[in-house]
Amino acid sequence: MARAALVLLFVWFFSRVVYVEHKLCPSLRLINKISRLERLRNCTEIIGSLQILLMERITTAKDFDKYVFPELKSITGYLMFYSVSKLTSIGKLFPGLRVIRGREMFLHYSLVIFGMKDLREVSKRMNK
Ligand SMILES: *[C@@H]1O[C@H](CO)[C@@H](O)[C@H](O)[C@H]1NC(C)=O
């Protein structure tokens, strides 16, 4: 009995670990409010594309400080940013992003950045 409980506990614990290490998320289109970025929490891979659009009422770059997603490693489709105020670095938002596969593209592009007037860099790694 105790052994069964132990096994169950182990299975529960292990499934939690696996769940946290691989959280697959669907395509997301995040619009308008910076708080929508919360939907990216713990995502390790986006199966599809990620669009972050029309966040124009952000007042300071500091607003992005709590939105850092180091877990996100890859996006199978494309990544698009359009008109997001005060975002200065995409690498700061997604420091762990290693690959954008481009299996789905936007007008032949897998990375689309436009109307980003405060952007200074894509990522430190790319600039080097
Ligand atoms: C993200 O992971 C943390 C730590 O494992 C957990 O507390 C939190 O509920 C998770 N949030 C989401 C949205 O998955």
Side-chain angles (χ1 to χ4, degrees), residues 16 19-20 23 38-39 41-42:
R16 297 273 303 182
Y19 177 76
V20 169
K23 181 176 173 189
E38 210 44 65
R39 292 185 58 196
R41 192 61 67 194
N42 301 345

Side-chain angles (χ1 to χ4, degrees), residues 55-58 64 83-87 115-118:
M55 297 185 180
E56 294 165 326
R57 284 174 308 208
I58 298 160
F64 284 97
S83 202
V84 178
S85 306
K86 308 297 181 207
L87 183 65
M116 299 289 292
K117 57 186 167 58
D118 299 311

Side-chain angles (χ1 to χ4, degrees), residues 27-31 49-53 55 78-82 106:
S27 285
L28 290 169
R29 178 183 291 144
L30 309 175
I31 305 183
S49 299
L50 174 59
Q51 303 178 356
I52 300 179
L53 314 173
M55 297 185 180
Y78 62 83
L79 173 61
M80 176 192 285
F81 284 88
Y82 167 56
F106 182 85

Side-chain angles (χ1 to χ4, degrees), residues 2-126:
R3 188 181 296 173
L6 199 65
V7 167
L8 276 180
L9 187 70
F10 179 78
V11 167
W12 174 83
F13 180 76
F14 190 70
S15 68
R16 297 273 303 182
V17 170
V18 168
Y19 177 76
V20 169
E21 283 185 354
H22 298 283
K23 181 176 173 189
L24 306 182
C25 296
S27 285
L28 290 169
R29 178 183 291 144
L30 309 175
I31 305 183
N32 209 286
K33 290 182 187 161
I34 192 170
S35 59
R36 302 262 155 83
L37 294 175
E38 210 44 65
R39 292 185 58 196
L40 293 167
R41 192 61 67 194
N42 301 345
C43 291
T44 57
E45 182 167 19
I46 307 250
I47 309 296
S49 299
L50 174 59
Q51 303 178 356
I52 300 179
L53 314 173
L54 296 165
M55 297 185 180
E56 294 165 326
R57 284 174 308 208
I58 298 160
T59 51
T60 139
K62 277 199 167 310
D63 292 354
F64 284 97
D65 287 357
K66 61 176 173 170
Y67 299 106
V68 179
F69 303 96
E71 305 83 3
L72 185 63
K73 299 289 191 297
S74 78
I75 296 172
T76 65
Y78 62 83
L79 173 61
M80 176 192 285
F81 284 88
Y82 167 56
S83 202
V84 178
S85 306
K86 308 297 181 207
L87 183 65
T88 56
S89 165
I90 289 170
K92 205 183 145 205
L93 196 63
F94 302 129
L97 186 60
R98 281 203 278 270
V99 53
I100 301 170
R101 294 188 197 282
R103 284 188 197 142
E104 175 187 30
M105 302 217 265
F106 182 85
L107 301 176
H108 306 292
Y109 296 101
S110 55
L111 176 62
V112 181
I113 300 173
F114 62 119
M116 299 289 292
K117 57 186 167 58
D118 299 311
L119 201 68
R120 299 283 172 270
E121 62 176 22
V122 173
S123 96
K124 287 257 187 292
R125 246 179 307 174
M126 281 188 200

